[in-house]
Amino acid sequence: MKAIKVVAEYGEWQQVENLEREFQSDNDILVYRVDMISLIIATEDEDTMNYVLSSLDCLEKPIIETLK
């Protein structure tokens, strides 16, 4: 399983909410909202993680941390 933590700029809470909704609709993605601007996202599939990472382009300067 691959997991990342994403932290957005404070003013981007709406985009984070939209991403959370989008990812929750995909059965291959586990998503947990930490706070207003942070998500933990996990998936088994490399292609799905690539999709997740490309979806983060809507955020200005996200901090993406790989979790173990």
Side-chain angles (χ1 to χ4, degrees):
M1 173 147 313
K2 297 181 180 282
I4 59 172
K5 180 178 181 184
V6 179
V7 181
E9 298 284 323
Y10 183 74
E12 296 184 302
W13 64 269
Q14 185 66 50
Q15 289 92 325
V16 172
E17 188 174 277
N18 293 342
L19 286 170
E20 178 188 25
R21 250 192 319 265
E22 177 182 337
F23 295 151
Q24 283 178 337
S25 68
D26 190 322
N27 291 336
D28 294 332
I29 301 172
L30 299 172
V31 60
Y32 174 76
R33 187 138 180 209
V34 178
D35 57 31
M36 257 177 106
I37 58 169
S38 304
L39 296 172
I40 293 177
I41 306 163
T43 184
E44 291 281 347
D45 184 56
E46 184 74 30
D47 290 334
T48 304
M49 184 56 78
N50 289 336
Y51 162 73
V52 166
L53 292 171
S54 69
S55 297
L56 299 177
D57 287 345
C58 69
L59 301 174
E60 186 70 31
K61 296 179 186 175
I63 298 169
I64 302 170
E65 177 185 346
T66 301
L67 304 176
K68 294 184 179 188

